[in-house]
């Protein structure tokens, strides 16, 4: 059997690249991301068809997630299928009414689509396919312990490089044009993102992966004397784990200097939630796990944060005015009326920027291409049906990760399930006031975390995956 290792390394390169060009939130950038993912998926499927690789157990056992992904993608495709006008009027009366407006101009319609903007929906479908492809690739290529470790480490240390760049640019007060977009680094750390909140979302997910790696490397050794305690402490300081811990400090520094209120709230809240779940449900949690989680909160918040802007962040939270809150809530609040008009199916994926102007009052003059609330965005575009399908996908994946916390003894799998729970929870919290899941790079990283949730439950030490050499613990 042939090895799919080159595909794995190409996937790593693609994931590391994704945040660099403005979070891949430009047409050319997300097109490159999509082409790369589709090419890797096709290459692996060709190898599998030829019998050169085997499907790992995690892929087979993640069928509930794939069933929901298929259902969601099928619903997305339905939006661009030409249907009789009477069918569209039955399924989405408001969509039919909007499209009938052109009939007054003498244009006869033999068919209609559920989407009010089929072109934008086709682009959204391609993005959805790419996100599903990323989920698939992690399951089939991260098929042994060494690859899981390499994947997590690559994403964490790439985020460290990004964070150092972002913090240095912020401290230098640089204002620059980057890939055709103006980025003001002087007011906050944004790195390669235009919006600091999206950089914060990226950091929340990579921090979760880094903490998962720390948990994976924890030792079960106990120190019954002070001499052994000091010995274990020195071993830890001189080990590669200390490098990882310093890397996490850099990520926390970058997160605090984004001055993203909900980004920091999401990070610390998700750390607390995942920590409580991990300690309460894991039958194999050690005292070292509890000490690690406590130290993460104390050291990062009180020491690192105090040096690099946590006071400014606290002041920003205290000085938040009702006007600022209303500006952030406006598009989401006005989207409720839009959801009432398009309740079941929505106006079509990607069509928010076209549909929303009808629902904003005259006092709102800003242009909004996103709802600044991922829940409102998905509900308005894909309907309550689409939102429910995505919610079930996230729920069953979190259930798999929680189950891994309860069943798995392998520290690596416990660490990856922790990363899934923490990273996904952080984005779910952050999504109430931002649109991280509309940014291609962040959406792909979110799918990576979801895939690791299934890997943590079903990937075994003896799982030889795609015919690569068996790894030992």
């Amino acid at each position: 059997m042939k090895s799919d290792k080159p595909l794995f390394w190409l996937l790593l390169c693609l994931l590391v690249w994704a945040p660099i060009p403005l979070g891949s939130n430009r047409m050319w950038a997300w097109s490159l991301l999509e082409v790369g993912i589709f090419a890797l998926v096709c290459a692996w499927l060709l190898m599998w068809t030829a019998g050169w690789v085997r499907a790992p157990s995690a892929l087979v056992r993640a069928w509930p997630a794939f069933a929901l992904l298929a259902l969601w993608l099928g619903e997305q495709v339905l939006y661009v299928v030409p249907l009789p006008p009477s069918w569209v009027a039955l399924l989405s009366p408001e969509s039919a009414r909007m499209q009938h407006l052109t009939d007054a101009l003498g244009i006869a319609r033999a068919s209609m689509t559920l989407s009010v903007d089929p072109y934008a929906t086709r682009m959204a479908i391609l993005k959805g396919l790419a996100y599903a492809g990323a989920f698939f690739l992690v399951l089939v290529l991260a098929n042994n312990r060494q690859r899981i470790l390499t994947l997590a480490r690559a994403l964490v240390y790439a985020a460290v490089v990004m964070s150092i760049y972002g913090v240095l640019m912020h401290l230098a007060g640089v204002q620059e044009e980057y890939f055709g977009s103006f980025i003001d680094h002087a007011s906050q750390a944004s790195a390669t993102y235009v919006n600091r909140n999206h950089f914060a979302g990226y950091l929340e997910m990579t921090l979760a992966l880094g903490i998962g790696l720390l948990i994976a490397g924890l030792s079960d050794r106990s120190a019954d004397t002070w001499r052994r305690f000091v010995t274990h402490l020195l071993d830890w300081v001189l080990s590669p784990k200390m490098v990882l811990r310093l890397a996490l400090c850099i990520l926390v520094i970058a997160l605090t200097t984004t001055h993203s209120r909900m980004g920091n709230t999401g990070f610390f809240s998700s750390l607390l939630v995942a920590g409580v779940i991990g300690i309460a449900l894991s039958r194999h949690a050690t005292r070292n796990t509890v000490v690690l989680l406590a130290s993460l909160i104390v050291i990062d918040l009180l020491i690192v944060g105090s040096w690099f802007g946590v006071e400014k962040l606290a002041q920003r939270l205290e000085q938040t005015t009702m006007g600022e809150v209303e500006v952030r809530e406006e598009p989401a609040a006005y989207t409720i009326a839009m959801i009432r008009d398009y309740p079941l199916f929505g106006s079509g994926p990607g069509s928010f920027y076209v549909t929303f102007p009808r629902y904003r009052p005259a006092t709102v003059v800003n242009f909004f291409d996103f709802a600044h609330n991922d829940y409102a965005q998905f509900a308005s575009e894909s309907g309550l049906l689409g939102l429910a399908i995505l919610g079930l996908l996230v729920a069953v994946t979190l259930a798999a990760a929680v189950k891994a916390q309860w069943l798995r003894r392998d520290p690596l799998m416990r660490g990856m399930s922790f990363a899934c729970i923490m990273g996904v929870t952080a984005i779910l919290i952050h999504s109430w006031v931002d649109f991280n899941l509309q940014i291609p790079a962040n959406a792909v990283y979110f799918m990576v975390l979801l895939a690791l949730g299934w890997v943590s439950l079903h990937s075994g030490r003896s799982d030889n995956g795609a015919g690569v050499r068996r790894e030992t613990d």
Side-chain angles (χ1 to χ4, degrees), residues 200 203-204 207-208 211 252 255 262-272 296 300 422 426 429:
L203 292 174
E204 291 164 45
L207 270 164
I211 295 172
V252 171
L255 181 60
M262 190 55 78
N264 283 270
T265 300
F267 166 65
F268 287 107
S269 299
S270 63
L271 176 59
L272 183 61
L296 285 169
D300 292 343
M422 179 182 168
I429 294 172

Side-chain angles (χ1 to χ4, degrees), residues 383-462:
L384 296 177
L385 177 61
L387 180 63
I389 295 172
L390 289 176
L392 281 174
L393 171 64
V394 174
V396 297
T397 301
L398 285 177
V402 169
K403 186 177 180 181
Q405 285 284 305
W406 172 251
L407 294 179
R408 298 307 299 267
R409 183 175 181 82
D410 187 336
L412 175 59
M413 301 309 162
R414 294 208 311 270
M416 292 301 99
S417 64
F418 184 96
C420 173
I421 294 170
M422 179 182 168
V424 170
T425 301
I427 294 299
L428 292 180
I429 294 172
H430 200 165
S431 288
W432 282 106
V433 294
D434 275 308
F435 48 102
N436 274 287
L437 296 180
Q438 311 304 320
I439 306 303
N442 288 11
V444 166
Y445 274 58
F446 187 78
M447 297 305 289
V448 169
L449 287 174
L450 291 181
L452 288 176
W454 292 97
V455 167
S456 68
L457 178 59
H458 296 300
S459 182
R461 295 182 181 182
S462 61

Side-chain angles (χ1 to χ4, degrees), residues 26-64:
R26 295 295 182 271
M27 183 178 290
W28 65 268
W30 75 58
S31 296
L32 283 177
L33 186 61
E34 290 168 2
V35 169
I37 290 174
F38 295 152
L40 290 178
V41 170
C42 290
W44 189 91
L45 290 175
L46 287 173
M47 294 180 71
W48 176 75
T49 303
W52 295 344
V53 296
R54 295 198 303 268
S57 60
L59 175 69
V60 178
R61 294 176 182 175
W63 67 265

Side-chain angles (χ1 to χ4, degrees), residues 5 42 73 182 185 203 220 244 251 305 355 369 374 379 404 438 460:
K5 186 177 289 187
C42 290
L73 289 171
F182 178 76
H185 298 282
L203 292 174
D220 292 335
L244 177 60
L251 295 183
T355 313
D369 48 358
D374 280 321
Q438 311 304 320

Side-chain angles (χ1 to χ4, degrees), residues 162-163 165-167 176 178 183 185 188-194 199:
M162 186 91 72
S163 297
Y165 166 76
V167 171
E176 65 168 352
Y178 181 78
I183 299 180
H185 298 282
Q188 72 280 316
S190 297
T192 59
Y193 287 78
V194 174
F199 181 45

